[in-house]
């Protein structure tokens, strides 16, 4: 008797369970255009804007708010910690603050006509290490076009539609002209050359921070100096001379035969006379 009763009630309970599971499961995967049921709607509909979308709230309709003028983002750095882990952040902070226009832009105000007044000399201490750093960076980022020697005949430079400037030209040494100022070379290294609205040379600010760009300038000057030193005036140690003279002989004989047939193929011959920007001697 008792067992029949309990069997019945167990069956009934199972049926109710199965029914409710069926009802619940039936909702899953269904598609409906009806608005969802909101039992506690307070936090469902909080205002939210996605970056780069429009806003009706702000007068300028921009969702992303422009940072206040001169705001500096500090990220996670603590300005005071000397711990090694903090070094990159601390350096970044100094760079972001940009105290000292000359060091960070290569300029010192503007001229009467509104053009930037480039500074004459590198504003940071020039050490052998800085020049070495500059050499590394120059050989990575500049030599492809300008050549390791700065003559403008790098792999890409040779294929350029016009002749690239020669860094040993007087205009890049004469500090009375803007092209001869350290600040200008720094500026070109970071922002490239824009002529009549056209980006002629790409800028390398993404790859060269300020210190590295000054290092490139220091090496640029070293390259120029190295060409101006006569081999026999004592600046080159006696022990280095034979090897250097041998290299020069090799370089001379490597270019000599190439120069003769070059009149037939167009590449090297065409690039030189069409030089409009390079400012030949
Ligand atoms: C992709 C090729 C390319 C690379 C790489 C390149 N340059 Fe140039 N550079 C040019 C071209 C092209 C010009 C000539 C621009 C023009 O038409 O006036 C030029 C011009 C210059 C000038 C002369 C600017 C003037 O006003 O006369 C300097 C200085 C210079 N580059 C420095 C650098 C330095 C430093 C680097 C490395 C950080 C570098 N360039 C990397 C293509 C390059």
């Amino acid at each position: 008797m008792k067992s029949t009763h309990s069997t019945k009630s167990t069956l009934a309970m199972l049926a109710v369970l199965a029914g409710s599971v069926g009802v619940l499961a039936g909702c899953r995967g269904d598609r409906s255009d009806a608005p969802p049921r909101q039992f506690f709607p307070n936090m469902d509909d909080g205002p939210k804007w996605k970056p780069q979308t429009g806003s009706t709230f702000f007068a300028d309709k921009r969702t992303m708010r422009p940072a206040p003028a001169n705001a500096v983002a500090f990220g996670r750095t603590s300005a005071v910690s000397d711990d090694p882990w903090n070094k990159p952040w601390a350096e970044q902070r100094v760079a972001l603050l940009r105290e000292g226009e000359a060091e960070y832009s290569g300029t010192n105000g503007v001229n009467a006509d509104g053009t930037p007044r480039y500074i004459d000399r590198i504003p940071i201490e020039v050490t052998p290490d800085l020049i070495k750093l500059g050499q590394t960076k120059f050989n990575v980022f500049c030599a492809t076009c300008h050549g390791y020697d700065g003559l403008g005949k790098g792999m890409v430079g040779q294929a350029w539609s016009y002749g690239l400037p020669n860094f040993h030209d007087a205009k890049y040494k004469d500090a009375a002209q803007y092209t001869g100022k350290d600040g200008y070379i720094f500026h070109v290294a970071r922002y490239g050359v824009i002529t009549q609205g056209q980006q002629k040379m790409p800028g390398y600010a993404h790859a060269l921070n300020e210190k590295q760009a000054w290092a490139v300038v220091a090496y640029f000057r070293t390259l120029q100096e190295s060409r101006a030193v006569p081999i026999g005036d004592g600046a080159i140690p006696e022990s280095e001379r034979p090897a250097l003279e041998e290299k020069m002989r090799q370089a001379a004989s490597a270019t000599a035969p190439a120069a003769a047939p070059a009149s037939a193929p167009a590449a090297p011959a065409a690039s030189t006379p069409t030089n409009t920007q390079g400012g030949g001697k």
Side-chain angles (χ1 to χ4, degrees), residues 65 68 79 118 124 126 141-142 145 180 186 210 212-213 247 255 272:
R65 308 311 302 149
Y118 295 107
I124 62 174
V126 177
F141 296 113
C142 318
C145 289
F186 170 87
E210 288 82 4
Q212 292 162 341
K247 267 191 188 161
T255 48
T272 330

Side-chain angles (χ1 to χ4, degrees), residues 50-79:
K50 292 185 176 162
Q52 310 291 3
T53 58
S55 155
T56 49
F57 184 77
F58 296 106
D60 64 2
K61 300 200 173 63
R62 291 208 278 183
T63 300
M64 294 167 82
R65 308 311 302 149
N70 305 323
V72 170
F74 280 91
R76 51 197 133 144
T77 179
S78 138

Side-chain angles (χ1 to χ4, degrees), residues 141-142 145-146 160 162 165 167 172 184 188 200-201 204 277:
F141 296 113
C142 318
C145 289
H146 291 286
W160 211 261
Y162 52 88
F167 291 163
Y172 299 118
Y184 182 65
V188 168
K200 299 286 192 175
M201 178 194 134
Y204 287 85
Q277 307 280 341

Side-chain angles (χ1 to χ4, degrees), residues 1 3 12 37 44-45 54 56 70 107 111 124 129 157-158 162 171 201 219 231-232:
M1 272 300 169
S3 70
R37 285 186 195 80
D44 284 3
D45 302 314
T56 49
N70 305 323
T107 59
N111 295 312
I124 62 174
D129 277 350
Q158 287 179 31
Y162 52 88
K171 67 188 272 200
M201 178 194 134
Y219 183 65
I231 201 163

